[in-house]
Amino acid sequence: MLVDEQMNILGSYPDSFGKQIRIGTDAKNPLTGLTLTTFQINVGKWCNQACKHCHVDASPIRTEMMSKETIDKCLAIIKSVPAIQTVDITGGAPEGNIHFRYLVEEARKLGKKIIDRCNLTILEEKGNEDLHEFLAANEVEVCSSLPYFSQSRTDQQRGDGVFNKSITALQKLNKLGYGTRLPLNLVYNPVGVFLSSAQKQLEREFKENLDKKYGIVFNNLYCINNMPINRYLGALVRTGKFETYMETLVNAYNPMTLEGLMCRHQISVGYDGKIYDCDFNQMLELEAKPVSHVDHFDYETFVNRNIVVANHCFGCTAGAGSSCGGEVA
Ligand code: SF4
Ligand code: SF4
């Protein structure tokens, strides 16, 4: 679905996120940057999978990739801002970028915590036999989507065979110390038109079932609401469920989530060096203002900016909130 079409659909919903966050404040846009602790880099849209809910619209036919030149510009910013603690590498399947290992090694030299948003099946692809060891050797946190602890629900969302490959990859990661010595976190998003359940309870269920059936251990389960953009928005519209889902999000609006919204604490850089407030704005081509490219990055200007918002933001403020790290309130 084209970006303009998505924005029109989101804008057609009668409630407005921009108005909602102004309730009780005189500010034109009370959603401003607060800190810059996470540098999120989307290194490309190629992925070995093409999941139904993918908000990136990633797939094996996408060719957009971050160049080494742009990676070096990102590394220069990371080096110049001591407040940045975490380098969060995402895609597509980030490991598919030929400069992935270079980025990890250089960010590690800068003493940053590194997160690989890994889809697990990429670890089982030919040519990646040593990728698990590489991640472990560089103490990279692995953060992986696993829709459920059953084969049917996982394969329904992510494609046939994904569950079994994911289990194999998780077992190999466990053998290297992931889930115990090294951080291994799983991400859950619901399959239907509802919000993700209480994080701690679901985490317990995942832990019990994965341990009992497959001997797998992991650290945290992050529950993420499906964002009404890209493929998921298309599916909502096709099945006539867009209004219902938006109503669910709007009714669950929780102002307590505003402080911890990830856009207020991070930068999101696209494969071409453009800067966004978050990965979702990146997918909707809503560039950050006034700093919109790594070539012109300025810390003070960036951290004090107004966040660009639209109705998809209701996905982050519903219930306990939703971010790359799960609940925010
Ligand atoms: S693995 Fe992730 S990036 Fe790849 S298609 Fe699925 S949701 Fe999108
Ligand atoms: S989608 Fe979420 S993280 Fe992104 S700008 Fe909106 S509220 Fe912030």
Side-chain angles (χ1 to χ4, degrees), residues 59-73:
S59 77
I61 60 167
R62 301 297 296 253
T63 53
E64 300 91 330
M65 287 279 174
M66 187 177 274
S67 66
K68 181 164 177 294
E69 192 190 357
T70 305
I71 286 177
D72 281 333
K73 287 177 184 172

Side-chain angles (χ1 to χ4, degrees), residues 177-302:
Y178 273 101
T180 46
R181 186 177 58 83
L182 294 162
L184 172 61
N185 297 315
L186 299 182
V187 177
Y188 162 88
N189 14 19
V191 178
V193 189
F194 48 85
L195 302 181
S196 56
S197 323
Q199 193 160 278
K200 277 292 154 202
Q201 188 193 322
L202 204 56
E203 182 181 282
R204 265 195 301 278
E205 287 176 36
F206 264 71
K207 283 190 169 171
E208 277 169 24
N209 280 277
L210 287 177
D211 185 22
K212 198 160 72 187
K213 292 185 192 156
Y214 309 103
I216 287 169
V217 293
F218 66 95
N219 299 101
N220 303 294
L221 180 76
Y222 299 140
C223 293
I224 297 188
N225 292 332
N226 281 313
M227 292 300 277
I229 64 172
N230 265 334
R231 277 183 208 148
Y232 190 65
L233 177 60
L236 289 172
V237 171
R238 270 196 311 281
T239 52
K241 292 177 179 162
F242 170 67
E243 276 79 16
T244 310
Y245 189 59
M246 285 304 293
E247 205 176 299
T248 305
L249 296 179
V250 173
N251 287 344
Y253 174 73
N254 177 4
M256 299 296 284
T257 58
L258 295 179
E259 182 86 11
L261 289 175
M262 59 183 177
C263 49
R264 309 191 78 178
H265 306 277
Q266 70 163 33
I267 187 171
S268 167
V269 180
Y271 75 92
D272 51 3
K274 285 186 182 164
I275 290 176
Y276 305 85
D277 297 306
C278 71
D279 206 33
F280 306 122
N281 282 11
Q282 186 175 144
M283 299 314 139
L284 291 172
E285 296 174 12
L286 299 170
E287 292 171 22
K289 290 177 184 162
V291 189
S292 63
H293 197 279
V294 287
D295 284 344
H296 317 293
F297 179 80
D298 173 73
Y299 175 72
E300 287 299 328
T301 314
F302 182 77

Side-chain angles (χ1 to χ4, degrees), residues 52-92:
K52 279 185 192 159
H53 68 283
C54 183
H55 74 268
V56 183
D57 216 7
S59 77
I61 60 167
R62 301 297 296 253
T63 53
E64 300 91 330
M65 287 279 174
M66 187 177 274
S67 66
K68 181 164 177 294
E69 192 190 357
T70 305
I71 286 177
D72 281 333
K73 287 177 184 172
C74 290
L75 287 165
I77 295 172
I78 294 164
K79 190 175 179 184
S80 72
V81 181
I84 295 172
Q85 296 161 5
T86 303
V87 176
D88 183 345
I89 310 173
T90 184

Side-chain angles (χ1 to χ4, degrees), residues 2 16 27 31 47 60 66 98 121 131 137 144 155 165 181 187 208 243-244 271 283 313 315 326:
L2 297 172
S16 150
L31 218 56
C47 186
M66 187 177 274
I98 52 167
T121 61
L131 193 48
S144 300
D155 287 359
K165 279 189 191 169
R181 186 177 58 83
V187 177
E208 277 169 24
E243 276 79 16
T244 310
Y271 75 92
M283 299 314 139
C313 297

